[in-house]
Amino acid sequence: MNFDKLYQILKEQPKYRVTQVKEAVFQKMIDNWTQATNLPKALQESLNAECPLEIDGQILLAKNGHTTKALLTLDDGLKIETVLMSHKDGRHTVCVSSQVGCSLGCKFCATGKLGLSRNLEYSEIIDQVLFFARYLKKQNSRVSNIVFMGMGEPFLNYDNVIKAIKYFNETDALNIGARRISISTSGIIPGIEKLAQENFQVNLAISLHAPNDKLRSELMRINKRFPLHELLSAVDKYIQKTGRKVMFEYLMIKGVNDTLKHAEELSHLMLKPLHMVNLIPYNPTGVYLPSDQYTINQFKAYLGKAGVEASQRYTFGQDIDAACGQLANKVKSK
Ligand code: SAH
Ligand code: SF4
């Protein structure tokens, strides 16, 4: 839905309409304005014409039932992917895309192979969450967490991402606590610096994936622009300013970054307050092989012994190519 247009129309209406509209969209989760029975018929009609609520989405279900992928078609025909991950403890996390494709071309990432088509508008980011919020509403459930780990680099579309987060956060909109929202970045330093100034409680995750510049530049060419020591010092400043924990994501790729030598190097970088490591089993995209579980255990144990807080991420939905970072290559070929 086009929120800019919506507010333009509501400008000519009494002030209380905004509250009525927000309630209908974000609490009742209506998907057609005729369901907003508290609005006058004429307004319902003009809203349906000017900013329709339908979201063009197609659902794919994972075999394990915990992961649901949606393929959304945007107004200009481009497609993006959004994933719902349902946890055993009742949480429902939506993994949203911030761009159509991505310009950064990390070697291990399916989205990176696409290149960038365009940035998403904040309305298109909100629609991804609304789509699953409506879906969950039918099961008497709601979205509890949001992660910017779908397609694209959120800090290369900073303003739209922050605007969308404000809607997620607002009590009269989706009312999802900032602490339940996470942004993952490949290490765009200006974005980290801006986020530090926002006075936001959102979580920051850094895609690290390698403990030295040589290897990191091989895997992620953005490292040439923002090398490790500069990235880590930006994170230090972020932590000083916000006092918030930062999660470093580390893919486990067989024989590439998963030896105990790498664990040792990594531990030197991470032995600082409020730094934690999340080991991610690599979802094969045809380039590398995933580390085996024994290697991941050894790596994690090494970090633990060295005094670094480390956890392993559960991989969702490999069977529908829905795990974060694995989105989109199949879509383009459709
Ligand atoms: N562009 C941002 C956010 C989107 S990617 C970033 O890079 O952080 C979200 C996460 O998925 C990142 O940590 C990314 O490194 C990871 N990822 C990419 N490809 C992956 C793969 N094949 N298997 C597992 N995780 C992957
Ligand atoms: Fe882009 Fe993130 Fe994929 Fe790298 S890992 S190509 S930054 S989406």
Side-chain angles (χ1 to χ4, degrees):
M1 181 187 33
N2 188 326
F3 282 88
D4 288 336
K5 248 192 203 158
L6 174 67
Y7 285 115
Q8 222 175 330
I9 296 172
L10 291 181
K11 252 192 203 156
E12 289 146 26
Q13 294 282 327
K15 269 223 170 93
Y16 59 84
R17 291 270 183 255
V18 174
T19 317
Q20 288 179 322
V21 159
K22 276 193 166 170
E23 198 190 309
V25 173
F26 293 114
Q27 262 107 63
K28 281 201 198 147
M29 302 287 170
I30 60 165
D31 52 21
N32 189 295
W33 289 109
T34 52
Q35 295 157 10
T37 43
N38 50 355
L39 301 181
K41 262 248 137 31
L43 181 60
Q44 291 177 13
E45 276 163 22
S46 69
L47 287 174
N48 263 343
E50 297 286 326
C51 41
L53 282 169
E54 285 90 2
I55 299 168
D56 184 355
Q58 192 191 324
I59 277 194
L60 280 167
L61 269 182
K63 290 186 204 113
N64 64 19
H66 298 303
T67 315
T68 312
K69 179 160 85 164
L71 182 64
L72 304 192
T73 306
L74 308 172
D75 285 349
D76 59 1
L78 290 174
K79 292 178 196 297
I80 49 167
E81 289 173 318
T82 308
V83 181
L84 173 70
M85 298 171 284
S86 297
H87 309 259
K88 286 196 194 86
D89 59 8
R91 281 180 302 129
H92 293 284
T93 302
V94 179
C95 176
V96 294
S97 297
S98 55
Q99 300 181 306
V100 188
C102 182
S103 61
L104 297 181
C106 300
K107 250 193 185 161
F108 46 77
C109 174
T111 310
K113 289 198 189 81
L114 293 175
L116 177 72
S117 295
R118 67 168 171 87
N119 276 340
L120 290 178
E121 293 295 330
Y122 74 98
S123 295
E124 293 169 325
I125 300 176
I126 298 169
D127 272 357
Q128 297 173 57
V129 176
L130 265 183
F131 181 82
F132 277 121
R134 290 175 189 173
Y135 174 84
L136 288 170
K137 172 96 175 173
K138 294 192 185 112
Q139 306 163 24
N140 269 327
S141 204
R142 64 186 299 266
V143 175
S144 55
N145 299 67
I146 295 169
V147 293
F148 281 86
M149 294 188 185
M151 299 164 73
E153 168 49 53
F155 284 165
L156 292 180
N157 187 14
Y158 188 89
D159 293 344
N160 283 303
V161 165
I162 296 297
K163 235 171 160 177
I165 289 177
K166 288 188 176 150
Y167 277 88
F168 297 155
N169 209 203
E170 274 179 7
T171 42
D172 60 350
L174 280 164
N175 194 19
I176 296 168
R179 285 164 186 263
R180 292 169 178 264
I181 301 171
S182 304
I183 303 179
S184 172
T185 178
S186 57
I188 307 294
I189 291 178
I192 298 170
E193 290 171 344
K194 275 199 251 175
L195 186 68
Q197 303 301 326
E198 295 282 353
N199 223 349
F200 251 179
Q201 302 280 309
V202 297
N203 304 304
L204 176 64
I206 309 283
S207 293
L208 197 68
H209 306 327
N212 60 63
D213 276 319
K214 185 169 178 288
L215 181 56
R216 194 163 189 270
S217 295
E218 250 172 59
L219 298 174
M220 307 173 72
R221 52 178 203 234
I222 191 65
N223 190 67
K224 291 181 186 148
R225 175 119 173 263
F226 300 118
L228 265 181
H229 65 281
E230 287 176 27
L231 172 59
L232 294 174
S233 102
V235 171
D236 286 343
K237 286 188 196 128
Y238 170 89
I239 289 176
Q240 275 163 25
K241 175 88 193 355
T242 62
R244 296 191 57 75
K245 217 177 214 183
V246 173
M247 184 172 86
F248 291 87
E249 300 163 276
Y250 194 97
L251 277 177
M252 293 296 287
I253 312 177
K254 195 185 186 102
V256 172
N257 65 352
D258 65 348
T259 68
L260 290 184
K261 178 90 183 52
H262 294 113
E264 187 198 347
E265 259 184 292
L266 181 61
S267 69
H268 294 312
L269 303 178
M270 293 291 110
L271 257 184
K272 288 187 205 162
L274 299 174
H275 285 52
M276 62 159 296
V277 176
N278 193 218
L279 300 175
I280 309 173
Y282 168 64
N283 296 311
T285 56
V287 188
Y288 302 107
L289 293 171
S291 309
D292 53 54
Q293 188 56 47
Y294 177 79
T295 306
I296 299 178
N297 292 346
Q298 296 286 98
F299 198 94
K300 187 172 154 221
Y302 185 97
L303 292 175
K305 258 191 238 147
V308 175
E309 189 184 337
S311 55
Q312 182 183 340
R313 179 177 299 170
Y314 173 72
T315 32
F316 280 96
Q318 267 190 350
D319 46 348
I320 52 164
D321 294 333
C324 290
Q326 211 190 351
L327 301 179
N329 57 344
K330 306 250 169 73
V331 180
K332 200 147 193 177
S333 58
K334 265 180 200 156

